[in-house]
Structure formats: C-alpha cells, structure tokens
Amino acid sequence: MVDQSIAQAEVGRFATAAAHWHWSEIVFWCFLLACGFLFPSRYLIMTEIVRLALFALSLDLILGYAGIVSLGHAAFFGIGAYGAGLLALHGIINEPVIALLAAGLVATAIGFLTSFLVIRGVDLTRLMVTLGIALLLEALAERYSNITGGTDGLQGIEMAPVLGLFAFDLFGKVGFFYSLATLFILFLLARRIVHSPFGLSLRAIKNNPLRAAAVGVPVNRRLIAVYTLAAFYAGIAGALFTQTTALASLDVFAFERSADLMLVLVIGGTGYLYGGLIGAVIFKILQEFFSTITPQYWQFWIGLVFVVIVLVGRARLHRWALFVPNLIIAQLKGPKAVVTVPESDAS
C-alpha cells in the first residue's frame, strides 16, 4: 500500500508538472498571432496551415494518446466541410460560429457511430476499417450529387460575417484570425483533456491495454470517447475549410488528405499536441517551397525529406535544431539548459 501511494503521488506530480505552461509555448502562440501582422500578404497560406494544424491535432488525439491508427480521418473532415457548406447554402444557420459547432456535432455523431467498428480491431484492422469508412462516405457523397453537388461540389456558398461583425474578405485576413482563434480554443480544450485523469488513462491504454483493463480502466469506453472527440475536431477543421474558402467538393473525402495528415505527424511527432501544429507548419512550408522551385517534382523532394527524418530520427534533429538556442540559454542562465524531447520520441 505504501508503494502504491508513492507511485500515485509520483504520477500526480508528473501530471501537474506537465500541465504547467512552459515559456516556449507562450512564445509559440505569440509568434502565430504575430504572423498575422508580419505577413499580411500570406493570409491564405497561413490559413491553410492553421486548418491543417487543427486537423492534425484531431488525429494526434487518437494516434498519439490512444494508439488508434487511422487512414480515413478525412471522413470526418468531409462531413464537417459539407455540413457547414449545406447549412450556409440553404440558409439554415447563417452565423458561422454556430454553423461551425453544428457541423462539428454532425461529425461527432458519425464518429460515435463508427467508433464501435474501429475499437474491435488492432492496427491493421483499424487502418482498413477507417479507410473503408472514408471511401464509403465519399461514394455516398458522389451518389447523392443532388445534395452534395457531385464532382462540381457545392456552388454559390456565401458566408455571413463572423459574429455579425467581421465579414470574410478576399485577402483572407478574417479567415486567418477566425481559424487561429478556433485552433487556440480547441487546443486549450485538448490540452486540458490530455493532462486530466482521462488523458492519463489513454496513455495507459496505449502502452498496455490489458494491464489498463486489469487495473479498472474501461478501455472500450475510453477509446470510443476519444475517437468521438477526434471526429469533432476533424469536423471543425472541415467546417473551417468550407467557411474560409466557400467551397466543398468530393476532394474533402480524398485518401490523399488522410495520407498528408499522417505525413504531418511523421514530421512533428505524436503524443504531445504540438507535433501536429509544428508538422503542419513545416509540411506546408516545404510544399510551398518545393512546388515553387520544381512544380512537377515537389512530391519527390518532400518524400526525400521524410526519408531523412526517418533515417536520422526526429529526436536527433530536434537536438540539432535547439543546440544554438540552448547554448545561448546556458551562457545566460548557467549550465541548466534542457532540451525538451517529445515523449513519443524519448524511447
């Protein structure tokens, strides 16, 4: 009993320490906000990055914390995109914020219904089931083209001003700050969840589901809950896509969208929330850079970067990138500069 109490106290101290905000996190979010003022001509690409970051965050919740591998996460992105588009097109909900939540709730419902299929398998089975769900929804969207617009997508979407005050502009300024605010609010929610007892139980399930079940963790219910939550986040990302581009087509269900999401997490890492955000920034910058230099072969160069990341290792690249900042900190504060390595890469 004494050892168990000591172990519980250690876990509690670790969780409390991990939940505290680090100065680098504050700098990160301040930098994202500053980008809106420093690069006024790049609002559109920055909005794409924010949407992709939120989408990657949704996958990280199930992959990085619960160990659920998915190749069909675009299914919920597409549900959110079409949900927001149909609500705006038919004038059902004109307020973008309320429509955003409504589209996210629709994706949540689909996520809950499909979660019972996903939790029954293991990695390979889950890959095939999630991929099949996305392909099925894409086929249904194409079949009912009178509702979805088919290959042409939804035409004539007009978005009302956000909160009745901020109208979407051609330069994408309102869309960027609207998307960034949504990302920040949902990130705060995700951060609170992963550092809660619920989040710790997800880590236990990922590490050893049998042992987690043996100590009383309701494994299936936890997996259903986090999968449903991830569907909500993905649906919000899809709704942001439609609201900021005034477009929704079958492309939102495409396999390539789910595959790109996996590549984003390969770059940024999983299991620490910021992996999806950092990976989205790097992925979009690389895509923009290589497509400008070699429009025909940019996929080759991005693939080469992924190979280098896999061969060298994210943890080593992370240490190299922070060598100079840590050296400066060591000179200013003494020899206690520490390189923070994502938990998923520490092993």
Side-chain angles (χ1 to χ4, degrees):
M1 293 296 294
V2 175
D3 293 339
Q4 184 178 0
S5 299
I6 294 175
Q8 291 176 348
E10 289 294 330
V11 171
R13 280 195 293 269
F14 170 78
T16 302
H20 288 161
W21 280 82
H22 192 263
W23 64 267
S24 59
E25 296 183 82
I26 300 175
V27 171
F28 176 82
W29 287 104
C30 289
F31 173 75
L32 289 184
L33 180 61
C35 285
F37 303 97
L38 295 176
F39 309 104
S41 62
R42 309 295 289 175
Y43 282 129
L44 296 179
I45 184 65
M46 290 191 298
T47 305
E48 286 186 35
I49 292 174
V50 172
R51 289 197 307 260
L52 182 60
L54 179 57
F55 194 23
L57 177 63
S58 70
L59 181 61
D60 193 22
L61 286 174
I62 58 174
L63 178 60
Y65 288 92
I68 299 176
V69 185
S70 174
L71 273 181
H73 213 54
F76 310 116
F77 184 94
I79 290 293
Y82 268 105
L86 290 171
L87 290 175
L89 183 64
H90 299 291
I92 301 174
I93 300 179
N94 293 320
E95 168 55 46
V97 177
I98 300 177
L100 185 76
L101 294 175
L105 291 176
V106 174
T108 302
I110 301 298
F112 175 75
L113 294 176
T114 57
S115 64
F116 297 95
L117 300 174
V118 176
I119 65 171
R120 291 183 177 274
V122 290
D123 291 346
L124 183 58
T125 305
R126 287 170 177 169
L127 282 174
M128 294 299 101
V129 170
T130 54
L131 179 59
I133 292 171
L135 294 176
L136 176 62
L137 290 176
E138 183 180 10
L140 288 175
E142 187 174 5
R143 168 65 179 81
Y144 295 98
S145 57
N146 58 323
I147 299 175
T148 63
T151 55
D152 295 328
L154 297 178
Q155 304 291 327
I157 299 176
E158 295 183 5
M159 302 307 304
V162 179
L163 301 177
L165 300 173
F166 308 101
F168 289 95
D169 57 291
L170 293 176
F171 301 101
K173 180 178 181 180
V174 172
F176 169 72
F177 286 107
Y178 173 53
S179 300
L180 183 61
T182 303
L183 172 63
F184 182 67
I185 293 172
L186 292 180
F187 179 86
L188 292 179
L189 176 61
R191 195 178 189 279
R192 180 67 184 89
I193 290 173
V194 299
H195 293 305
S196 67
F198 175 82
L200 294 178
S201 67
L202 290 178
R203 293 176 183 269
I205 293 171
K206 178 185 177 182
N207 292 331
N208 194 321
L210 294 178
R211 183 177 297 176
V215 298
V217 176
V219 175
N220 287 343
R221 281 189 291 174
R222 289 287 192 272
L223 293 180
I224 290 173
V226 72
Y227 189 82
T228 304
L229 178 66
F232 173 73
Y233 273 59
I236 293 292
L240 280 177
F241 172 82
T242 297
Q243 291 182 342
T244 54
T245 62
L247 176 68
S249 64
L250 296 179
D251 178 69
V252 294
F253 291 106
F255 167 75
E256 289 79 7
R257 195 173 295 275
S258 297
D260 286 347
L261 201 60
M262 295 293 290
L263 298 179
V264 167
L265 292 182
V266 168
I267 295 175
T270 60
Y272 71 115
L273 292 183
Y274 283 98
L277 278 60
I278 296 173
V281 173
I282 297 176
F283 178 81
K284 277 298 180 181
I285 290 177
L286 289 176
Q287 187 181 54
E288 182 81 0
F289 175 73
F290 289 131
S291 61
T292 302
I293 297 177
T294 57
Q296 294 179 330
Y297 304 107
W298 65 268
Q299 296 97 332
F300 167 79
W301 295 109
I302 288 184
L304 183 62
V305 171
F306 294 150
V307 171
V308 172
I309 292 174
V310 172
L311 292 179
V312 177
R314 262 192 321 270
R316 187 177 300 172
L317 292 174
H318 190 265
R319 287 193 296 269
W320 291 350
L322 293 183
F323 175 76
V324 174
N326 274 331
L327 187 61
I328 296 174
I329 294 174
Q331 295 296 325
L332 295 176
K333 291 188 176 182
K336 294 186 177 181
V338 178
V339 174
T340 303
V341 179
E343 185 175 317
S344 60
D345 298 329
S347 57

